[in-house]
């Protein structure tokens, strides 16, 4: 599927395409607290525009509990968190598409001027677990995810490379947009010369 000169639109998920009204974050905190055996303090800002792995790492370090193998603990928290997501994020459940998103994506998918992808801090499985129940996964054949890099600013080059392979065309960063809901989405775009 060649789309020469196409504008690449890279979407964030939480707060941009979907909402679970904080339930996903609660499930991550639940998984972390169960593994730590203690309560964890957090704010909404801990989650906004970050990657899943970085969120967990920051909360682990803030907990004050000595952690011997941080990567192993992060993996264990993610495994438990993803199990909770699969249980709760079902069609008609806690996740919903934001108003106008479905019709926007339908229009963009039909328009040859645009190609769609993701740049999200969600790990890949978590991203599609959130998108499938509301019928949005099919619009995003490619992307970069929170399990590709801990630093969100490292994700756009991966998304561009994957989109170029999938759509069989190189994408010009000046014609690539990151669409998100946080200041960190803007910073991510600027750090990579994207719009």
């Amino acid at each position: 599927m060649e789309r020469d000169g196409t504008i690449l639109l890279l979407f964030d998920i939480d707060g941009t395409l979907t909402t679970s009204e904080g339930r996903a974050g609660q499930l991550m905190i639940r998984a972390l607290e169960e593994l730590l055996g203690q309560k964890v303090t957090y704010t909404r800002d801990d989650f906004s525009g970050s990657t899943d792995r970085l969120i967990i790492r920051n909360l682990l370090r803030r907990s004050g509990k000595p952690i011997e193998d941080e990567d192993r603990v992060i993996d264990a928290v993610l495994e438990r968190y993803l199990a909770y997501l699969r249980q709760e994020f079902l069609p008609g459940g806690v996740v919903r598409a934001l108003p106008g998103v479905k019709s926007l994506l339908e229009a963009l998918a039909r328009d040859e001027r645009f190609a769609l992808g993701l740049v999200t801090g969600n790990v890949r499985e978590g991203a599609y677990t959130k998108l499938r129940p509301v019928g949005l996964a099919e619009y995003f054949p490619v992307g970069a995810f929170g399990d590709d890099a801990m630093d969100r600013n490292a994700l756009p080059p991966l998304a561009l490379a994957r989109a170029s392979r999938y759509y069989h065309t190189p994408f010009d960063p000046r014609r690539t947009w990151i669409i998100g809901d946080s200041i960190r989405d803007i910073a991510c775009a600027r750090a990579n010369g994207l719009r």
Side-chain angles (χ1 to χ4, degrees), residues 136-194:
L136 302 182
E138 66 193 63
Y139 295 103
F140 301 103
V142 294
F145 305 88
D147 40 3
D148 290 320
M150 195 172 288
D151 178 3
R152 189 183 186 104
N153 291 350
L155 299 179
L158 297 171
L160 277 161
R162 290 170 182 165
S164 292
R165 282 192 301 273
Y166 179 82
Y167 291 110
H168 305 292
T169 189
F171 287 102
D172 183 344
R174 294 167 301 177
R175 292 177 55 81
T176 300
W177 293 73
I178 291 183
I179 300 170
D181 66 309
S182 86
I183 193 91
R184 290 179 182 149
D185 294 308
I186 295 168
C188 179
R190 288 182 176 163
N192 287 280
L194 310 180

Side-chain angles (χ1 to χ4, degrees), residues 53 56-58 60-61 67-77 150:
R53 295 187 69 81
I56 296 167
R57 187 190 78 182
N58 290 342
L60 276 172
R61 290 179 178 180
I67 305 295
E68 295 236 348
D69 185 351
E70 195 174 73
D71 286 334
R72 183 188 58 74
V73 175
I74 292 170
D75 289 342
V77 172
M150 195 172 288

